[in-house]
Amino acid sequence: MKRVLLLVATNVAVMLVLSVVVSVLGLDRWLTAEGIDYGTLLVISAVFGFGGAFISLLMSKTIAKWTAGVRLIDGSEGTTEYWLVQTVKQLADKAGVGMPEVGIFEGAPNAFATGAFKDSALVAVSTGLVQGMSKEEVEAVLGHEMAHVANGDMVTLTLIQGVLNTFVFFLSRVVGMIIDKAVFRTERGTGPGYWITVMLLQFLFGILAAMIVAWFSRWREFRADRGSANLLGSPRSMIAALARLGSLQTQEMPPQLKSFGIAGGIGSLLASHPPIEARIAALQAA
């Protein structure tokens, strides 16, 4: 419930900020003079901006199970599954969150956590990770994922995406209207210039927004690494797990789960994960 209220409060705050910016710049008078209800545009922008992000968050576990082919386990399937479930339970107790669903999916080494609520998340590991790592290393990876859950990273990422989506939707249309009137000299309604500008700006603003989301995603990976070290009492196992990941061929996660995986792509402005070398160095320096 707290997260739902936070989402609503953030939505309202974004609308207020955009409204103030529009008023300070005098765009409200210009938009009104052009017969454009910018208040309605604000609401529509917020609905589209936060709506998609919020729905994705609520459906994240279902989407993850389907796209990654996750098989849920309860520990009765065998000794490995029993150990995984018990390890997750111990980590959840240490982190102060509810027991998440635990799953396994086929593929090269990787893992992820997702879910809208801390006490009903999903933590899944690949068969390649379980088979290619020692128990201490797998425990460190599970600690990393439980740190994501305890930190509420899924909700925070949704809030950031919602805020950025709202800004992209609103600003691309306001600027599109300005260019349509000033450059293309459209006198009534919106002309082709408006739609061309909106599509171009949504693409450009979208890239900038993706860079911001990727930056936060990289930052939270460092934090989850530290969280795993804290849960286990030492960074040694997490460092060993990262080193092992660096020597293994990791699996590219589906687009919907890429920012939630333990391993990511190359370091760049759009990378969801920092380079493994940087993560190891950060743990060693802590």
Side-chain angles (χ1 to χ4, degrees):
M1 181 56 68
K2 288 182 180 179
R3 281 164 176 71
V4 174
L5 292 176
L6 179 60
L7 190 68
V8 173
T10 303
N11 205 341
V12 172
V14 170
M15 291 176 63
L16 288 174
V17 169
L18 284 174
S19 181
V20 170
V21 170
V22 168
S23 298
V24 169
L25 295 178
L27 291 175
D28 55 340
R29 294 186 295 273
W30 181 84
L31 291 170
T32 301
E34 293 294 332
I36 299 167
D37 185 353
Y38 84 93
T40 300
L41 178 59
L42 270 175
V43 173
I44 293 174
S45 299
V47 169
F48 276 94
F50 278 91
F54 186 52
I55 291 172
S56 295
L57 176 64
L58 292 178
M59 296 180 62
S60 60
K61 286 170 58 176
T62 300
I63 293 172
K65 293 172 186 176
W66 180 64
T67 57
V70 174
R71 172 175 58 88
L72 295 181
I73 60 174
D74 59 14
S76 63
E77 298 82 359
T79 54
T80 299
E81 289 83 356
Y82 177 81
W83 178 82
L84 284 172
V85 171
Q86 291 303 308
T87 301
V88 170
K89 185 178 187 308
Q90 292 171 8
L91 291 169
D93 290 341
K94 286 183 180 179
V97 298
M99 176 66 181
E101 292 182 308
V102 183
I104 297 178
F105 58 97
E106 298 291 331
N110 219 322
F112 66 85
T114 190
F117 306 102
K118 287 185 179 182
D119 293 330
S120 59
L122 166 68
V123 172
V125 296
S126 69
T127 53
L129 185 113
V130 175
Q131 295 166 1
M133 288 187 168
S134 67
K135 284 189 174 182
E136 290 76 14
E137 292 165 348
V138 175
E139 183 181 21
V141 171
L142 291 172
H144 173 99
E145 301 305 334
M146 288 308 304
H148 277 312
V149 175
N151 292 335
D153 285 341
M154 287 72 77
V155 174
T156 307
L157 188 64
T158 298
L159 291 174
I160 292 175
Q161 288 175 327
V163 169
L164 293 172
N165 289 344
T166 301
F167 272 90
V168 169
F169 191 96
F170 182 78
L171 293 177
S172 62
R173 279 154 180 77
V174 170
V175 175
M177 292 173 189
I178 294 173
I179 293 178
D180 191 39
K181 302 295 182 183
V183 178
F184 293 92
R185 304 295 183 182
T186 301
E187 296 182 357
R188 292 185 178 181
T190 54
Y194 167 78
W195 297 109
I196 293 172
T197 304
V198 167
M199 287 188 290
L200 178 61
L201 289 179
Q202 281 205 164
F203 175 74
L204 294 176
F205 290 162
I207 292 177
L208 293 175
M211 289 180 180
I212 296 173
V213 171
W215 172 84
F216 171 75
S217 183
R218 292 192 297 271
W219 175 80
R220 71 179 193 154
E221 290 304 314
F222 285 118
R223 185 171 67 162
D225 287 343
R226 294 194 302 271
S228 177
N230 292 335
L231 288 173
L232 272 60
S234 167
R236 181 179 57 82
S237 294
M238 191 67 229
I239 290 173
L242 289 170
R244 179 81 67 179
L245 278 173
S247 66
L248 297 172
Q249 182 178 357
T250 57
Q251 175 172 316
E252 186 74 8
M253 299 296 291
Q256 301 92 334
L257 301 175
K258 191 173 292 185
S259 61
F260 298 117
I262 184 68
I266 61 172
S268 70
L269 290 175
L270 293 174
S272 62
H273 288 62
I276 285 180
E277 295 80 7
R279 295 169 64 180
I280 292 176
L283 284 171
Q284 292 173 334

